[in-house]
Amino acid sequence: MRATVTVMLKAGVLDPQGKAIGQALHGLGFAEVGEVRAGKVIVLELDEADAGRARVRAEEMARKLLANTVIESFRVAVVEG
Amino acid sequence: MRATVTVMLKAGVLDPQGKAIGQALHGLGFAEVGEVRAGKVIVLELDEADAGRARVRAEEMARKLLANTVIESFRVAVVEG
Protein backbone atom coordinates (compact mmCIF):
# COMPACT_ATOMS: atom_id res chain seq x y z
CA MET A 1 0.00 0.00 0.00
CA ARG A 2 1.00 3.59 -0.52
CA ALA A 3 -0.02 6.15 2.10
CA THR A 4 0.16 9.88 1.49
CA VAL A 5 0.24 12.07 4.58
CA THR A 6 -0.46 15.77 4.01
CA VAL A 7 0.52 18.07 6.88
CA MET A 8 -0.71 21.68 7.03
CA LEU A 9 -0.53 24.37 9.68
CA LYS A 10 -3.88 24.69 11.44
CA ALA A 11 -6.12 27.60 10.46
CA GLY A 12 -5.17 30.59 12.57
CA VAL A 13 -1.52 29.58 12.94
CA LEU A 14 0.74 32.14 11.25
CA ASP A 15 2.34 30.71 8.09
CA PRO A 16 5.38 32.85 7.17
CA GLN A 17 6.43 30.49 4.36
CA GLY A 18 2.99 30.76 2.75
CA LYS A 19 3.09 34.54 3.14
CA ALA A 20 6.52 34.75 1.49
CA ILE A 21 5.31 32.62 -1.43
CA GLY A 22 2.25 34.86 -1.84
CA GLN A 23 4.41 37.99 -1.92
CA ALA A 24 6.80 36.43 -4.44
CA LEU A 25 3.86 35.45 -6.68
CA HIS A 26 2.51 39.02 -6.52
CA GLY A 27 5.97 40.26 -7.44
CA LEU A 28 5.87 38.01 -10.51
CA GLY A 29 2.55 39.54 -11.59
CA PHE A 30 0.12 36.91 -10.31
CA ALA A 31 -2.29 39.50 -8.93
CA GLU A 32 -5.14 37.02 -8.46
CA VAL A 33 -3.36 35.24 -5.62
CA GLY A 34 -4.98 35.64 -2.21
CA GLU A 35 -4.06 33.64 0.88
CA VAL A 36 -1.31 31.05 0.46
CA ARG A 37 -0.66 28.17 2.87
CA ALA A 38 2.39 25.94 2.65
CA GLY A 39 2.58 22.39 3.94
CA LYS A 40 4.36 19.07 3.61
CA VAL A 41 3.46 15.85 1.90
CA ILE A 42 5.06 12.52 2.83
CA VAL A 43 4.54 9.49 0.58
CA LEU A 44 5.13 6.17 2.37
CA GLU A 45 5.44 2.74 0.74
CA LEU A 46 4.04 0.32 3.31
CA ASP A 47 4.53 -3.45 3.38
CA GLU A 48 0.91 -3.95 4.47
CA ALA A 49 -1.81 -5.58 2.35
CA ASP A 50 -4.84 -4.25 4.25
CA ALA A 51 -5.87 -0.68 3.42
CA GLY A 52 -7.61 -0.13 6.75
CA ARG A 53 -4.60 -1.23 8.76
CA ALA A 54 -2.29 0.82 6.53
CA ARG A 55 -4.39 3.92 7.28
CA VAL A 56 -4.35 3.30 11.05
CA ARG A 57 -0.56 2.88 11.01
CA ALA A 58 0.01 5.95 8.82
CA GLU A 59 -2.16 8.01 11.20
CA GLU A 60 -0.05 6.73 14.10
CA MET A 61 3.13 7.76 12.22
CA ALA A 62 1.65 11.21 11.60
CA ARG A 63 0.79 11.70 15.27
CA LYS A 64 4.14 10.39 16.53
CA LEU A 65 6.55 11.93 14.02
CA LEU A 66 5.28 13.56 10.85
CA ALA A 67 2.99 16.25 12.29
CA ASN A 68 3.18 18.51 15.32
CA THR A 69 -0.47 18.20 16.25
CA VAL A 70 -0.34 21.27 18.51
CA ILE A 71 -0.05 23.54 15.46
CA GLU A 72 -0.50 21.19 12.49
CA SER A 73 -3.33 19.08 11.15
CA PHE A 74 -2.85 16.08 8.86
CA ARG A 75 -4.79 14.03 6.35
CA VAL A 76 -4.01 10.45 5.27
CA ALA A 77 -4.87 8.95 1.87
CA VAL A 78 -4.21 5.26 1.15
CA VAL A 79 -4.02 3.74 -2.33
CA GLU A 80 -3.14 0.24 -3.55
CA GLY A 81 0.27 -0.26 -5.04
CA MET B 1 -11.05 28.96 -6.74
CA ARG B 2 -8.60 27.07 -4.62
CA ALA B 3 -5.59 25.49 -6.31
CA THR B 4 -3.39 22.91 -4.59
CA VAL B 5 0.09 22.46 -6.04
CA THR B 6 1.95 19.33 -4.92
CA VAL B 7 5.69 19.33 -5.60
CA MET B 8 7.76 16.14 -5.35
CA LEU B 9 11.34 15.29 -6.28
CA LYS B 10 11.41 13.36 -9.55
CA ALA B 11 11.90 9.60 -9.38
CA GLY B 12 15.61 8.88 -9.32
CA VAL B 13 16.54 12.13 -7.57
CA LEU B 14 18.01 11.41 -4.14
CA ASP B 15 15.64 12.45 -1.34
CA PRO B 16 17.64 12.77 1.91
CA GLN B 17 14.65 14.18 3.82
CA GLY B 18 12.51 11.19 2.86
CA LYS B 19 15.34 8.85 3.81
CA ALA B 20 15.71 10.50 7.23
CA ILE B 21 11.96 10.21 7.86
CA GLY B 22 12.06 6.51 6.89
CA GLN B 23 14.92 5.84 9.29
CA ALA B 24 13.16 7.71 12.11
CA LEU B 25 9.97 5.69 11.51
CA HIS B 26 11.97 2.43 11.65
CA GLY B 27 13.51 3.63 14.90
CA LEU B 28 10.00 4.13 16.29
CA GLY B 29 9.09 0.54 15.41
CA PHE B 30 7.24 1.06 12.12
CA ALA B 31 8.97 -1.88 10.44
CA GLU B 32 6.52 -1.98 7.50
CA VAL B 33 7.82 1.31 6.10
CA GLY B 34 9.66 1.01 2.78
CA GLU B 35 10.62 3.94 0.56
CA VAL B 36 9.64 7.39 1.81
CA ARG B 37 9.49 10.51 -0.38
CA ALA B 38 8.98 14.00 1.03
CA GLY B 39 7.48 16.91 -0.87
CA LYS B 40 5.72 20.23 -0.54
CA VAL B 41 2.12 21.25 -0.91
CA ILE B 42 1.07 24.86 -1.59
CA VAL B 43 -2.59 25.83 -1.27
CA LEU B 44 -3.48 29.02 -3.19
CA GLU B 45 -6.69 31.02 -2.93
CA LEU B 46 -7.21 32.52 -6.38
CA ASP B 47 -9.51 35.39 -7.32
CA GLU B 48 -10.52 33.62 -10.53
CA ALA B 49 -13.99 32.22 -11.29
CA ASP B 50 -13.01 29.89 -14.14
CA ALA B 51 -11.52 26.53 -13.10
CA GLY B 52 -9.66 26.02 -16.38
CA ARG B 53 -8.00 29.43 -16.22
CA ALA B 54 -7.18 28.90 -12.52
CA ARG B 55 -5.40 25.65 -13.43
CA VAL B 56 -3.40 27.26 -16.25
CA ARG B 57 -2.30 30.09 -13.94
CA ALA B 58 -1.41 27.73 -11.08
CA GLU B 59 0.68 25.63 -13.48
CA GLU B 60 2.45 28.80 -14.58
CA MET B 61 3.14 29.68 -10.90
CA ALA B 62 4.51 26.18 -10.33
CA ARG B 63 6.86 26.42 -13.31
CA LYS B 64 8.03 29.94 -12.48
CA LEU B 65 8.38 29.75 -8.69
CA LEU B 66 6.97 26.81 -6.77
CA ALA B 67 8.85 23.91 -8.38
CA ASN B 68 12.36 23.48 -9.69
CA THR B 69 11.40 21.52 -12.77
CA VAL B 70 14.94 20.26 -13.31
CA ILE B 71 14.64 17.96 -10.30
CA GLU B 72 10.99 18.31 -9.21
CA SER B 73 7.65 17.40 -10.74
CA PHE B 74 4.37 19.04 -9.76
CA ARG B 75 0.64 18.33 -9.87
CA VAL B 76 -2.16 20.91 -9.74
CA ALA B 77 -5.66 20.26 -8.36
CA VAL B 78 -8.34 22.96 -8.59
CA VAL B 79 -11.52 23.02 -6.48
CA GLU B 80 -14.34 25.57 -6.21
CA GLY B 81 -14.38 27.75 -3.14
Side-chain angles (χ1 to χ4, degrees), chain A residues 63-78:
Chain A
R63 270 191 302 272
K64 284 201 178 154
L65 182 77
L66 306 175
N68 174 354
T69 54
V70 177
I71 56 167
E72 293 172 326
S73 61
F74 65 86
R75 199 175 63 237
V76 173
V78 174

Side-chain angles (χ1 to χ4, degrees), chain A residues 3-5 9 16 18 24 26 28 34 40 42-43 45-48 57 59 62 76 79:
Chain A
T4 301
V5 181
L9 285 166
H26 281 169
L28 290 170
K40 296 173 286 185
I42 300 109
V43 181
E45 303 293 339
L46 300 179
D47 183 15
E48 167 61 69
R57 290 288 278 177
E59 286 174 353
V76 173
V79 293

Side-chain angles (χ1 to χ4, degrees), chain B residues 29-61:
Chain B
F30 294 104
E32 72 269 49
V33 175
E35 209 200 340
V36 180
R37 306 285 288 173
K40 297 173 284 185
V41 56
I42 300 107
V43 181
L44 306 150
E45 303 293 340
L46 300 179
D47 184 15
E48 168 60 68
D50 182 82
R53 255 197 324 259
R55 169 180 296 278
V56 168
R57 290 287 278 176
E59 286 173 354
E60 213 180 318
M61 293 175 209

Side-chain angles (χ1 to χ4, degrees), chain B:
Chain B
M1 293 284 164
R2 173 178 297 170
T4 301
V5 181
T6 306
V7 180
M8 300 293 294
L9 286 167
K10 287 181 179 169
V13 178
L14 194 72
D15 180 356
Q17 194 189 354
K19 208 141 233 146
I21 292 170
Q23 285 168 0
L25 288 171
H26 281 169
L28 289 170
F30 294 104
E32 72 269 49
V33 175
E35 209 200 340
V36 180
R37 306 285 288 173
K40 297 173 284 185
V41 56
I42 300 107
V43 181
L44 306 150
E45 303 293 340
L46 300 179
D47 184 15
E48 168 60 68
D50 182 82
R53 255 197 324 259
R55 169 180 296 278
V56 168
R57 290 287 278 176
E59 286 173 354
E60 213 180 318
M61 293 175 209
R63 270 190 302 272
K64 284 203 179 155
L65 182 77
L66 305 175
N68 173 354
T69 54
V70 178
I71 55 167
E72 293 172 327
S73 61
F74 65 86
R75 202 175 60 235
V76 172
V78 174
V79 293
E80 309 260 343

Side-chain angles (χ1 to χ4, degrees), chain A residues 4-43:
Chain A
T4 301
V5 181
T6 306
V7 181
M8 301 293 295
L9 285 166
K10 287 181 180 171
V13 177
L14 194 70
D15 180 356
Q17 194 190 354
K19 209 142 231 142
I21 292 169
Q23 285 167 0
L25 287 171
H26 281 169
L28 290 170
F30 294 104
E32 72 269 48
V33 174
E35 208 199 341
V36 180
R37 307 285 288 173
K40 296 173 286 185
V41 56
I42 300 109
V43 181

